[in-house]
Amino acid sequence: MTAPSPLLDLDDAVSVAAADTEGAMRAAALGGAQVRSVAEAVAEGLIDRVRDMRPRSVVLVTSGGRAARAASVLEASVGPHFGLPIVHAPVVPPWVGSLDVVVVAGDDAGDPRLLAAADSALRRGAELVVVAPDEGPLRAAAAGRGAVLAPRVRTSDRNGFLRYLAAGLAVLGSLDSGRGEALPDLAGLADVLDGEATRNHPSAEVFHNPAKSLAVRFQNRRVVVAGDSAATTALAGHATDMLLCGAGTSAAAAGLSDVLASAALLSGAGDLSPGYDPIFHDEELDGPAPVTPARVFVLATAQSRTTTSRRLAALADAELVTAAADEELAPVDRFGTGDSEMTGRAVSGPAQGERTEMEQLAVLAVRLEMAAAYLRLIGGR
C-alpha cells in the first residue's frame, strides 16, 4: 500500500524528509514534548498559587483557534467526571469572583480579548492562570498577580492544541477537587504521545503507519470528520482546522448524529458509472455528473467503539478512527537516538494497558496532526 501521488512516495523516508522543508512533520510530532514541558513547569511550582484550592468553578476563557478547541475537549471529556463545574466561555462571566479560578489561553499576548479577560478576573479577585506567551501587554497585566504557563517548546501556532490541553489538565490536577480518574498523569501522557509519534515516523511504511494511512485516505476526497460524543466532536473540529491550515484541504466537522441525518446528501449525486467520461459528459443530455461520495471519518474512544461501529452501516463510505491500546503494533526499535529529534524523547515501545479517554483523545490529536502534515507533502485537495 503506497501513497497514490505522482510527486512523492510516502514509503520513501528520505524523500519525505527532504520534501518537508518547513518542518511540518517535526512540529506535528512534538505533542509529547509540549505536554512534558507543561509537566516540568508544574514541577517547578509555576502554578502553586492554585494548588490544593477548592474553588467554586474553573472558567476557561480562550481567544479561539486551538485554545478554544482544547478547552471544548476538556469541558466535554473531564467536566462530567470532575468534582466542580468547568465552564468554557469567550469572556469572563459576570458571576465570577474570588471563589473561582480563571484560565486565560491564546496565542497572541496582545489580543484585546485576553487582556480584558485577565483584567476582569483580577479585578474580581479570582485566581488567574495565563496560558499564553509571557510577553507584551498580557505579561504586564498579569505580572505578580497570576500564574503564567508560557510555551517552552518552539513549534507552529497551529500545533499548539496539546499544549493548551496539557495546561488545562495541569490546572485541574492541581486543585483539591476529588478529581478521581478523569485526569491522566502528564508525564505518562507525554510518553504515550511520543509512542504515537514514533509509530507515525516517516521511516514506517504506510501500511504500518496510522498517520500516513489516514493521509492517503484523505487525499482527493470530500472529507467529513465526525465525533460520536461531545469530546470527539470538539476534536473533529480541530482535525478539520489542521486539514485546512496544515494541508490546504477543506473538510467538514460534525457530530455523528448530524452526519447520519444527512446520509443521503453525503452519498453523492448519481451512481459512479464505470462508463462515465468527464470529457464527453453533457449535463443537459446525460444529467448531473456523478459525484464521489463523501468519506466520513468517525472519531471514537474504546468505550464507545462497538456501538459507534454499528451506527456506521447507514453511511456509504465511513471509517472508524480510534486510539485504543489494543490496536498498538509490536514495538519496532528502528530509530535509535534519532527518535528523540522527532518526539522530544526516545520511546521503547507502545503504551501498555487500558488508556483513559483523555489519553485516547490526545493520541488521536497527534495522529490527525501528523496525517495533515503528510497530506501537505503529497498534495491534499
Side-chain angles (χ1 to χ4, degrees):
M1 182 177 181
T2 57
S5 170
L7 303 177
L8 182 66
D9 180 4
L10 283 184
D11 284 339
D12 185 347
V14 176
S15 297
V16 170
D20 188 17
T21 56
E22 298 180 0
M25 286 304 311
R26 184 178 185 277
L30 287 175
Q34 293 187 70
V35 173
R36 189 170 290 105
S37 71
V38 173
E40 291 172 353
V42 173
E44 293 170 9
L46 295 190
I47 59 173
D48 278 355
R49 62 186 305 139
V50 299
R51 185 172 298 280
D52 297 330
M53 281 186 60
R54 296 185 179 181
R56 175 177 56 180
S57 68
V58 177
V59 180
L60 309 174
V61 181
T62 62
S63 61
R66 269 58 66 182
R69 299 295 190 191
S72 296
V73 170
L74 276 173
E75 182 184 35
S77 177
V78 179
H81 313 290
F82 206 59
L84 53 87
I86 300 174
V87 180
H88 178 208
V91 297
V92 176
W95 48 262
V96 164
S98 59
L99 299 178
D100 304 294
V101 173
V102 176
V103 180
V104 176
D107 295 324
D108 185 2
D111 190 327
R113 291 174 294 175
L114 298 184
L115 292 172
D119 180 67
S120 179
L122 292 171
R123 282 190 292 103
R124 299 178 192 182
E127 286 292 343
L128 174 67
V129 179
V130 177
V131 186
D134 189 16
E135 59 191 23
L138 193 57
R139 178 180 186 178
R145 299 187 293 169
V148 178
L149 287 175
R152 294 185 170 189
V153 177
R154 179 172 295 182
T155 185
S156 64
D157 289 343
R158 65 173 177 264
N159 294 109
F161 173 86
L162 286 161
R163 175 171 63 85
Y164 292 117
L165 192 68
L169 291 172
V171 172
L172 296 176
S174 297
L175 302 177
D176 181 14
S177 58
R179 59 180 181 168
E181 299 179 355
L183 305 179
D185 172 70
L186 288 182
L189 177 60
D191 289 341
V192 170
L193 298 184
D194 283 348
E196 177 64 19
T198 299
R199 295 183 67 205
N200 298 318
H201 193 278
S203 62
E205 297 178 352
V206 172
F207 187 76
H208 298 287
N209 188 315
K212 285 184 180 180
S213 180
L214 273 178
V216 169
R217 302 200 299 277
F218 283 150
Q219 190 181 30
N220 298 326
R221 297 297 300 243
R222 292 192 300 149
V223 173
V224 176
V225 185
D228 67 344
S229 66
T232 52
T233 300
L235 185 60
H238 173 60
T240 56
D241 286 347
M242 290 304 304
L243 289 173
L244 179 62
C245 299
T249 298
S250 59
L256 179 56
S257 296
D258 293 332
V259 172
L260 291 173
S262 306
L265 296 177
L266 295 174
S267 63
D271 297 327
L272 295 178
S273 171
Y276 167 70
D277 189 329
I279 297 178
F280 299 102
H281 183 84
D282 187 330
E283 292 195 6
E284 293 186 0
L285 298 177
D286 304 322
V291 177
T292 304
R295 178 166 290 173
V296 182
F297 296 84
V298 181
L299 308 182
T301 59
Q303 293 78 6
S304 61
R305 176 171 53 185
T306 301
T307 302
T308 300
S309 62
R310 293 172 181 168
R311 300 175 67 188
L312 301 188
L315 299 174
D317 189 355
E319 298 184 24
L320 193 64
V321 182
T322 66
D326 59 6
E327 73 167 7
E328 296 283 7
L329 303 176
V332 179
D333 185 11
R334 62 167 64 131
F335 306 111
T337 57
D339 180 41
S340 60
E341 183 179 354
M342 282 289 294
T343 65
R345 181 176 176 182
V347 179
S348 59
Q352 301 296 324
E354 184 94 10
R355 284 178 177 166
T356 66
E357 180 185 21
M358 181 54 65
E359 286 176 334
Q360 294 176 61
L361 294 172
V363 166
L364 285 176
V366 169
R367 185 176 303 174
L368 291 164
E369 290 186 11
M370 296 190 75
Y374 281 121
L375 186 60
R376 180 190 187 95
L377 298 181
I378 62 177
R381 260 179 30 189

